[in-house]
């Protein structure tokens, strides 16, 4: 289904193309941006620091996978007892860098912003400019219709929203038979990438609901 006029949408910190392509499928002028190359070889991918393109006149910014290892509650222990081979100074430096990126994205010169991230610890919150609590948390299975499909998973996803409404679940499942496989990914160099992949059901809901909301909002302005 195509729509007109199209929104200019930036999907930051994504190289899989999942969220970008969900917006593209609805006719939006959507682009992804990441320091990594696009996994699908799309010509709709900007490779580099997303902060360099935040002022390109976007209508909507969706940040899919910002570096969150040092920001989230699950990693706060490393700030006092670093993992083998690392120092406390390195851990705090990475925390400062992650918080600075989140701040730059949250305060971007774009009217509608959504950022996905796990629950943050107090040290991260105190470093983010204009910090606000997350607007909602969702589960992939809330947007799933097939018990055997890729979306029937348990993985809490928190969303920080500015200028956008919370997502409304679109699935038919109740979570009782949802898998937990994303938390048990095999160790290896690709583990973090595989665990951070976006789920197509949530991506589709973002494109349909936020895209529709932004279009109505733009028409009313």
């Amino acid at each position: 289904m195509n729509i007109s006029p199209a929104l200019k949408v930036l999907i930051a910190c994504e190289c899989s193309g999942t969220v970008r392509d969900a917006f593209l499928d609805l006719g939006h002028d959507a682009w992804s941006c990441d320091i990594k190359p696009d996994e699908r070889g799309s010509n709709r991918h900007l490779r580099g620091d997303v902060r360099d393109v935040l002022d390109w006149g976007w209508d909507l910014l969706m940040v899919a996978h910002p570096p969150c290892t040092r920001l989230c509650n699950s990693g706060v222990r490393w700030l006092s007892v670093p993992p083998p081979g690392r120092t406390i100074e390195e851990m705090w430096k990475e925390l400062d860098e992650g918080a600075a990126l989140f701040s730059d994205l949250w305060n971007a010169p774009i009217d509608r912003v959504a950022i996905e991230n796990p629950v943050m610890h107090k040290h991260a919150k105190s470093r983010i400019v204009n910090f606000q609590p997350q607007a909602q948390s969702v589960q992939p299975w809330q947007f799933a219709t097939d018990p055997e499909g890729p979306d029937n998973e348990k993985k809490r996803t928190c969303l920080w929203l500015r200028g956008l409404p919370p997502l409304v679940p679109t699935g038919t499942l109740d979570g009782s038979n949802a898998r937990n496989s994303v938390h048990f990914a095999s160790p290896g160099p690709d583990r973090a990438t595989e665990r951070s992949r976006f789920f197509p059901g949530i991506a589709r809901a973002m494109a349909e609901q936020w895209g529709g909301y932004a279009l109505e909002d733009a028409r009313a302005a």
Side-chain angles (χ1 to χ4, degrees):
M1 177 180 67
N2 289 328
I3 56 176
S4 180
L7 298 169
K8 190 173 181 182
V9 180
L10 175 63
I11 311 302
C13 305
E14 178 182 68
C15 59
S16 69
T18 302
V19 182
R20 177 202 63 215
D21 290 352
F23 278 90
L24 279 174
D25 287 345
L26 292 182
H28 292 296
D29 181 15
W31 296 79
S32 56
C33 182
D34 197 87
I35 58 175
K36 298 178 182 179
D38 185 74
E39 294 178 0
R40 306 179 188 183
S42 173
N43 62 359
R44 284 272 175 171
H45 183 71
L46 305 169
R47 188 174 182 185
D49 191 327
V50 68
R51 287 171 285 196
D52 294 335
V53 302
L54 291 178
D55 60 353
W56 285 15
W58 306 100
D59 297 303
L60 191 155
L61 167 66
M62 195 282 145
V63 187
H65 314 295
C68 63
T69 304
R70 303 295 165 240
L71 304 183
C72 60
N73 270 339
S74 62
V76 70
R77 66 188 185 279
W78 301 124
L79 296 176
S80 55
V81 182
R86 305 297 303 277
T87 66
I88 289 181
E89 289 75 19
E90 289 173 333
M91 297 298 98
W92 284 89
K93 180 175 183 292
E94 290 179 3
L95 167 61
D96 288 336
E97 292 171 347
L101 175 60
F102 193 102
S103 291
D104 290 340
L105 296 170
W106 180 241
N107 294 283
I110 301 171
D111 290 338
R112 305 166 192 89
V113 176
I115 305 180
E116 178 272 338
N117 211 79
V119 176
M120 295 187 196
H121 54 69
K122 64 180 181 180
H123 305 295
K125 295 176 183 179
S126 67
R127 284 165 168 75
I128 294 171
V129 178
N130 296 322
F131 178 82
Q132 296 180 18
Q134 66 266 21
Q136 73 174 135
S137 62
V138 296
Q139 292 279 354
W141 60 262
Q142 292 178 300
F143 301 85
T145 57
D146 180 3
E148 301 303 322
D151 296 309
N152 192 22
E153 289 276 359
K154 293 179 181 177
K155 183 187 179 187
R156 185 185 182 193
T157 298
C158 295
L159 297 172
W160 278 257
L161 305 176
R162 175 164 60 80
L164 291 169
L167 289 177
V168 177
T170 58
T172 58
L173 307 183
D174 62 8
S176 59
N177 63 350
R179 299 178 295 265
N180 205 23
S181 57
V182 292
H183 295 289
F184 298 100
S186 300
D190 299 325
R191 186 172 189 266
T193 298
E194 293 304 317
R195 289 189 63 187
S196 68
R197 287 190 181 280
F198 229 86
F199 293 89
I202 300 179
R204 185 165 53 251
M206 289 175 171
E208 292 174 349
Q209 296 181 33
W210 290 342
Y213 174 86
L215 282 173
E216 291 298 323
D217 192 31
R219 292 190 186 108

